[in-house]
Amino acid sequence: MFLALKKSRLCKNCCLFSKQSIITYNSASGRLGSAAFPSGNVRSISTGAQQFSRLTERKNDDLHHYGLSSASISSKPPKDARVVICGGGIMGAAVAYQLAQRGWGQHTVLIEKGRIGEGNPWHFSGLLGELKPTYSQVLLAQTSLELIKEFDRKGLPTGWKKTGSLNLARTRDRMTMFRRMKSQSVSWNVECEIVTPERCKELCPIIETDDLIGGLWIPNDGVGNPNAFCQSLVKESLDKGVTVVENCPVIKINQHNGRVKSVDTANGSVECVYFVNCAGFWARQVGQFSEPYVKVPLHAAEHYYLHTKHICDLDSSIPVVRDLDGHIYFRENNGCLLAGGFETKAKPAYEDGDIPASIAERYLPADWDHFHPLLEELLRRIPSLKEATLERLSNCPEAFSPDCKWIIGEAPEIQNYLVAAGMKTVGMSAAAGVGRAIADIITQGYSSVDLHELDISRFLGLHNNRKFLRDRVREVPGLHYDLNYPFHEFRTGRNLRMSPIFPALKEAGAVFSQVMGYERPAWFDKKNSLDEKGVPTFRVANTDGFGKPHWFDHVQLEYENCREKIGLSDYSTFTKIDMWSKGREVVDLLQYLCSNDVDQPVGSIIHTGMHNRHGGYENDCSLARLSENHYMMIAPTVQQARCKAWIDRHLTPGGRVSVSDVTSMFTAICIMGPFTRIMLSELTDTDLSPKSFPFFTCKELDVGLANGIRALNLTHTGELGYVLYIPNEFALHVYTKLMEAGQRYGIKHCGYYAMRTLRVEKFFAFWGQDLDTFTTPLECGRMWRVKFDKGVDFIGKDALLKQRDKGVERMYIQLLINDHDPDIDLWSWGGEPIYRNGVYCGQTTTTAYGFTFKKQICLGFVKNLDFKGKPLPVTNDFVLNGDYEVEIAGIRYPAKANLHSPNLPTKYPDQEREAYKATRDKSDDTSLLAYNK
């Protein structure tokens, strides 16, 4: 079958080819070819290197239309500045503009190795949408849209046009996702609407709707011109004193004592205080221009834009359309159609890691075979596209991070070295918001938006491995339009970090999730663990739905074992940092960094927060005091690079405190349940009685024939038990002894999902899921761990004292959902809005099914908002005297609110287990009452 993209039904102005020419698309072979080209103009449809270069030159010649002139741009940088920005694309321009807005224009230099805006090709989609996957990204996108509209009102070129965006759904799960997004939009202040297929047709008459179930309409979205916006940002920056330098490659970033000192370029050196890497898909290479090098894990993938010639009677007001199940999008573009998509398996670009400097050398030919599936979906969704005349198919590389998120923040390797990269195809949507965040960090020391999920310190060196990135970039682009099922797992880059007991866990039936490159069991399923030859297979966890998951029964058995027998779990992924000194320097440092009193007797475990100047959590950790001047810090897995960088920033010169990441030196095995003390006593000579080894203390043990094992009497889930930090060479021996001794007590392996349920039932907050850089101990019920009277000032103390006196404006609570059938109804997975007395008041963070309560359990924060949306103080009475509902995909379920950790019934009650509360101890209420008086 042949589909023709031809001129016969178009007006004379639409003609690209001679009368005899016709472009044929063979759906069998997937090739776009020529039929009857007597005039030899087959090259008129190609996008060869010469045309690529010519069009780009034309685009750069248009800079004068935006008010820029070569006279206002230098070719040599000044000798000194406060801030040097590398990269004259839309991201670098946005950072320069936002700094200039804060009065730093005269102290800022924007350096571009080519010409300004050269990295913003003319064929970019320019889609501007505010509904992003997370609240932080929404805030950044909303900031960008506000600035674009402001520029437009001032008459500065941006290409802004309000079109709205229409997201289409072909499946039930897609509609469920849309309903979840619609529910979340209330929390995020984004206007959107669930629409029928008929309404989809009204909004965009050119689409085929026979196979649709519905859609999501976002009326305030629009489109813009990235190049025009970039030039407007640069023009405004120049007017405010920013120095702009073209044709000036950055060669080296120099540091002294761990801080940025200067930047070397091909045209001279610049002494500076801050360096901002906005080099787009060159950001990874620029990261290697320093010593130590800064990891910016990015890899380019081929990305395609299909442009038609002018189409008669095409309504200029049609919305941006995203057919997510077809992995495509399209928009009207000056009387033409611009279309593209995100294929499920992308093609890496520049696989050798060498990205050419010149535009002509960066040219990538259009691969019609690769684009074929997307073209088929476009023709299916827009039947009239068959009658359109093609102008070109542009193959433009885009850089993606390993987790498909933006990369923002201060590099952990060098202080005052900031990065803003990995914006993928939404640079215009992100630029102004990200630029503002970077400018805030530079000028005031912090961002007004919580950036922990986007922070560059979420990566390790393994994420910057080129082969890893090359494999991962095949998978990442497709995530844009994939169904956002809970607990997404990547398929590439697996079997990378494994504890020594990994083979044994795999043989036991582990199904693995991955975090920070580490393989950790999500659940265990022994029956289905072998291949056809009887060999244990590596299986990746998945949750393909929004209702009751297929792993439910496995997790329930593991949960019950932890509560009533013995469960064994691999905790090796947790971050482990050793800190020591000859004198009391390490104690003094930790007293300054931590809000709890860390100067406790040797053998104590201190659970504490490390806070920023606003009292928010930069880290939430446990400190085991191994000796007078030696601590072992246990922190969340995702904190491995981040928490060490936070500590390093506060070290005094001279190296009096040693800090070492020992995460990979120890295998951590957690045993939990009522019989753990009895079982472990059989394997060690150490007295484990409560008097000798009480809860929340640590000792060094021998287990079996192994020695030097750091044993912590805690579990991170509130159950009785121990975490054993075992030198790797002994790990398999200790694991084997535990499993052998545990047989008489019914020991079972337990995965991460069971641990999650245990801690949610016990009302335990985790950093990165419930706690972030804007959450304080007073808000999450941990004020009893803050020791204002320890005699030492700590970071964030003043802010916490002010908040204590003023009262909190949001409070962390637990909600038990009622009238909910877990077998039929959709589950809560986090991010759902919470309503109090019918009025929106907050959002859930972590959720799980509580096997003891036999209910869905949600953790989250609630606010007391007045009729204008202004937050008022939240009290215990406010929380307890409300009627609550949690909205799951558009349906509200009644819920009961808890302020304290509930007492869970068990066959083997234990005073130690019940005495420990991770969230809001009863004594906390008394303290708050006294302070409020």
Side-chain angles (χ1 to χ4, degrees):
M1 176 183 177
F2 288 86
L3 300 173
L5 304 177
K6 57 187 180 180
K7 72 151 205 164
S8 58
R9 299 188 184 181
L10 304 176
C11 69
K12 63 182 180 180
N13 293 327
C14 301
C15 183
L16 174 65
F17 315 111
S18 65
K19 292 181 179 180
Q20 294 84 6
S21 67
I22 181 173
I23 302 302
T24 57
Y25 175 75
N26 186 328
S27 62
S29 68
R31 295 184 182 278
L32 191 72
S34 62
F37 278 96
S39 63
N41 67 343
V42 65
R43 289 187 177 273
S44 65
I45 65 162
S46 70
T47 50
Q50 290 182 346
Q51 183 190 20
F52 186 92
S53 180
R54 186 169 61 251
L55 288 168
T56 305
E57 288 171 5
R58 182 187 68 195
K59 182 206 72 168
N60 283 326
D61 288 339
D62 288 340
L63 299 188
H64 299 288
H65 294 301
Y66 302 121
L68 291 180
S69 66
S70 57
S72 60
I73 296 175
S74 173
S75 61
K76 189 172 182 179
K79 292 184 178 181
D80 58 79
R82 295 183 74 180
V83 184
V84 172
I85 303 167
C86 175
I90 195 169
M91 194 64 256
V95 173
Y97 171 81
Q98 295 287 10
L99 284 169
Q101 286 291 98
R102 288 156 179 74
W104 283 48
Q106 299 289 340
H107 310 290
T108 301
V109 179
L110 176 62
I111 298 178
E112 166 58 40
K113 70 176 180 178
R115 299 185 65 180
I116 291 296
E118 198 171 70
N120 302 308
W122 69 95
H123 47 241
F124 272 15
S125 59
L127 306 187
L128 298 172
E130 57 180 332
L131 193 54
K132 304 295 182 188
T134 63
Y135 184 48
S136 294
Q137 293 177 58
V138 167
L139 290 175
L140 297 173
Q142 288 174 335
T143 298
S144 292
L145 280 171
E146 288 170 8
L147 184 62
I148 289 166
K149 293 174 184 177
E150 179 186 330
F151 273 26
D152 187 64
R153 288 191 295 270
K154 291 179 178 179
L156 294 167
T158 63
W160 163 250
K161 182 171 69 170
K162 181 180 174 181
T163 62
S165 63
L166 178 63
N167 299 330
L168 307 178
R170 304 183 190 181
T171 65
R172 257 183 197 280
D173 279 359
R174 183 69 67 180
M175 280 306 296
T176 296
M177 191 177 109
F178 285 172
R179 290 189 179 99
R180 287 179 55 81
M181 292 167 68
K182 166 63 177 157
S183 294
Q184 286 178 324
S185 69
V186 177
S187 309
W188 297 346
N189 195 29
V190 176
E191 183 183 348
C192 63
E193 175 189 357
I194 298 292
V195 292
T196 63
E198 293 76 20
R199 178 60 176 152
C200 291
K201 186 73 171 179
E202 292 175 10
L203 290 166
C204 187
I206 68 173
I207 64 172
E208 175 61 57
T209 59
D210 288 351
D211 59 342
L212 299 182
I213 294 179
L216 182 69
W217 168 240
I218 310 171
N220 294 322
D221 285 356
V223 296
N225 183 325
N227 192 54
F229 185 45
C230 177
Q231 307 306 328
S232 294
L233 287 167
V234 173
K235 179 181 181 300
E236 290 295 287
S237 300
L238 284 166
D239 291 345
K240 294 180 182 294
V242 173
T243 301
V244 178
V245 184
E246 287 188 334
N247 300 312
C248 183
V250 168
I251 298 173
K252 187 178 181 183
I253 298 90
N254 303 296
Q255 60 88 16
H256 180 68
N257 289 333
R259 290 178 179 270
V260 169
K261 179 185 179 184
S262 63
V263 176
D264 295 341
T265 76
N267 301 339
S269 297
V270 188
E271 296 282 335
C272 60
V273 180
Y274 296 92
F275 176 77
V276 189
N277 183 346
C278 298
F281 53 51
W282 284 283
R284 181 174 181 270
Q285 288 183 335
V286 171
Q288 296 172 338
F289 293 169
S290 61
E291 180 58 44
Y293 75 82
V294 171
K295 57 183 182 299
V296 188
L298 291 171
H299 199 293
E302 295 186 8
H303 191 66
Y304 291 88
Y305 299 91
L306 181 75
H307 296 255
T308 72
K309 294 289 282 184
H310 186 271
I311 298 176
C312 290
D313 301 323
L314 179 63
D315 189 347
S316 63
S317 65
I318 65 169
V320 172
V321 176
R322 298 179 181 88
D323 183 353
L324 305 177
D325 296 305
H327 294 271
I328 57 171
Y329 66 84
F330 66 88
R331 57 162 287 198
E332 186 273 341
N333 184 32
N334 298 321
C336 310
L337 277 179
L338 187 163
F342 295 92
E343 58 272 55
T344 54
K345 188 174 182 180
K347 283 182 65 178
Y350 315 119
E351 292 191 43
D352 60 359
D354 185 19
I355 302 173
S358 72
I359 293 176
E361 290 176 321
R362 287 201 305 275
Y363 160 71
L364 294 173
D367 185 342
W368 281 101
D369 287 336
H370 183 74
F371 188 70
H372 161 228
L374 297 179
L375 181 58
E376 278 197 325
E377 295 294 344
L378 286 166
L379 292 166
R380 174 183 182 181
R381 187 57 55 211
I382 321 166
S384 60
L385 185 61
K386 301 170 188 176
E387 307 300 324
T389 303
L390 175 72
E391 179 178 292
R392 66 182 180 274
L393 179 67
S394 300
N395 182 358
C396 176
E398 283 281 3
F400 294 85
S401 71
D403 58 2
C404 202
K405 295 179 181 178
W406 307 337
I407 301 177
I408 306 171
E410 185 177 12
E413 298 87 357
I414 301 175
Q415 294 182 48
N416 295 351
Y417 185 126
L418 292 103
V419 178
M423 305 305 152
K424 307 166 293 190
T425 63
V426 294
M428 190 172 181
S429 274
V434 173
R436 181 176 178 178
I438 294 293
D440 283 346
I441 294 171
I442 291 173
T443 59
Q444 62 188 27
Y446 62 92
S447 167
S448 56
V449 175
D450 176 58
L451 298 176
H452 81 269
E453 56 150 338
L454 306 173
D455 198 292
I456 188 171
S457 62
R458 71 185 186 271
F459 297 118
L460 299 173
L462 64 92
H463 295 115
N464 205 34
N465 178 287
R466 188 169 58 80
K467 293 180 180 179
F468 169 87
L469 290 170
R470 182 190 61 201
D471 291 342
R472 179 59 62 84
V473 84
R474 302 178 195 274
E475 182 180 5
V476 165
L479 296 181
H480 275 278
Y481 287 176
D482 272 353
L483 276 163
N484 187 22
Y485 287 128
F487 306 140
H488 172 265
E489 291 290 333
F490 289 101
R491 299 281 165 173
T492 54
R494 302 304 297 251
N495 288 306
L496 185 55
R497 298 179 81 189
M498 295 168 283
S499 72
I501 64 173
F502 171 84
L505 297 175
K506 186 171 69 170
E507 187 173 353
V511 182
F512 291 94
S513 63
Q514 188 189 69
V515 57
M516 295 296 275
Y518 248 122
E519 299 293 348
R520 68 179 177 190
W523 73 86
F524 287 81
D525 176 12
K526 179 70 172 177
K527 291 182 180 179
N528 303 305
S529 63
L530 305 179
D531 63 15
E532 296 176 353
K533 298 179 180 179
V535 177
T537 61
F538 175 75
R539 293 172 295 166
V540 176
N542 69 301
T543 306
D544 291 339
F546 297 103
K548 184 177 180 179
H550 62 90
W551 40 258
F552 180 90
D553 293 337
H554 300 294
V555 173
Q556 182 175 14
L557 290 173
E558 295 168 20
Y559 166 91
E560 290 170 352
N561 237 66
C562 293
R563 293 281 294 153
E564 308 298 350
K565 296 179 183 178
I566 298 179
L568 182 147
S569 187
D570 185 1
Y571 272 22
S572 300
T573 66
F574 274 85
T575 298
K576 314 166 195 75
I577 305 287
D578 266 9
M579 304 175 65
W580 69 95
S581 60
K582 289 184 178 180
R584 281 185 51 87
E585 293 88 353
V586 68
V587 182
D588 296 337
L589 173 67
L590 288 172
Q591 288 286 54
Y592 175 65
L593 292 175
C594 301
S595 55
N596 206 339
D597 185 359
V598 306
D599 196 2
Q600 300 298 319
V602 172
S604 298
I605 300 173
I606 307 100
H607 199 153
T608 182
M610 293 183 178
H611 306 284
N612 52 42
R613 68 180 72 179
H614 306 291
Y617 279 93
E618 291 293 336
N619 188 18
D620 179 50
C621 60
S622 297
L623 290 167
R625 193 169 191 179
L626 305 179
S627 67
E628 284 293 331
N629 302 314
H630 185 187
Y631 292 81
M632 181 185 192
M633 183 177 77
I634 311 301
T637 305
V638 295
Q639 281 270 17
Q640 186 171 350
R642 194 177 196 281
C643 68
K644 187 172 184 299
W646 180 256
I647 295 168
D648 288 343
R649 286 177 195 140
H650 295 91
L651 290 175
T652 55
R656 295 191 174 188
V657 176
S658 298
V659 180
S660 178
D661 182 350
V662 295
T663 300
S664 298
M665 292 173 58
F666 292 91
T667 298
I669 296 177
C670 178
I671 51 174
M672 67 195 83
F675 299 114
T676 50
R677 181 182 288 121
I678 299 173
M679 182 194 73
L680 190 58
S681 295
E682 298 174 5
L683 300 173
T684 183
D685 295 331
T686 303
D687 182 2
L688 301 183
S689 66
K691 184 177 180 181
S692 176
F693 192 3
F695 193 51
F696 238 61
T697 61
C698 62
K699 280 182 179 289
E700 188 170 294
L701 306 180
D702 294 347
V703 176
L705 305 180
N707 69 310
I709 295 164
R710 300 174 181 180
L712 276 61
N713 190 346
L714 85 170
T715 61
H716 302 295
T717 60
E719 299 300 318
L720 285 176
Y722 305 86
V723 183
L724 307 177
Y725 291 92
I726 311 159
N728 282 338
E729 64 267 29
F730 297 138
L732 192 56
H733 170 78
V734 173
Y735 164 82
T736 302
K737 291 298 181 183
L738 290 170
M739 291 302 297
E740 289 174 353
Q743 292 307 308
R744 73 184 72 181
Y745 304 106
I747 193 170
K748 282 186 181 294
H749 293 91
C750 301
Y752 168 71
Y753 291 178
M755 301 302 103
R756 181 186 176 94
T757 294
L758 286 164
R759 72 99 170 168
V760 169
E761 273 198 337
K762 284 296 185 86
F763 204 176
F764 281 28
F766 271 27
W767 193 92
Q769 299 178 38
D770 309 292
L771 311 179
D772 57 34
T773 59
F774 279 64
T775 303
T776 71
L778 285 84
E779 294 168 345
C780 68
R782 293 185 172 182
M783 199 184 76
W784 53 285
R785 287 183 181 159
V786 177
K787 301 301 188 288
F788 292 111
D789 57 353
K790 65 179 180 177
V792 180
D793 286 338
F794 57 87
I795 301 173
K797 179 179 179 179
D798 291 343
L800 292 175
L801 285 170
K802 288 178 183 178
Q803 187 181 53
R804 186 189 67 182
D805 296 338
K806 181 182 177 182
V808 297
E809 293 181 348
R810 63 176 189 151
M811 192 175 287
Y812 188 56
I813 67 169
Q814 183 190 66
L815 291 160
L816 306 183
I817 300 181
N818 297 316
D819 299 339
H820 178 274
D821 188 333
D823 294 317
I824 300 172
D825 296 325
L826 296 171
W827 282 27
S828 59
W829 295 101
E832 293 85 8
I834 303 169
Y835 291 85
R836 179 184 181 275
N837 298 338
V839 178
Y840 169 78
C841 68
Q843 195 172 9
T844 66
T845 52
T846 313
T847 66
Y849 182 81
F851 293 104
T852 297
F853 289 118
K854 300 191 184 308
K855 295 177 185 288
Q856 284 271 298
I857 304 174
C858 300
L859 308 181
F861 289 88
V862 295
K863 298 179 180 179
N864 179 10
L865 302 173
D866 66 14
F867 68 97
K868 292 183 178 179
K870 181 181 177 181
L872 303 172
V874 178
T875 63
N876 290 357
D877 287 341
F878 171 84
V879 172
L880 296 175
N881 292 329
D883 293 326
Y884 290 89
E885 296 171 299
V886 175
E887 182 173 305
I888 304 174
I891 300 175
R892 295 187 189 180
Y893 296 90
K896 179 187 181 299
N898 288 331
L899 278 173
H900 302 101
S901 305
N903 293 319
L904 303 177
T906 174
K907 297 176 185 176
Y908 308 99
D910 187 280
Q911 289 183 351
E912 274 193 301
R913 176 162 60 177
E914 299 304 331
Y916 178 70
K917 307 293 182 184
T919 303
R920 200 171 288 111
D921 187 72
K922 293 288 178 83
S923 63
D924 205 23
D925 294 342
T926 308
S927 302
L928 272 172
L929 227 76
Y931 287 131
N932 288 337
K933 287 180 181 179

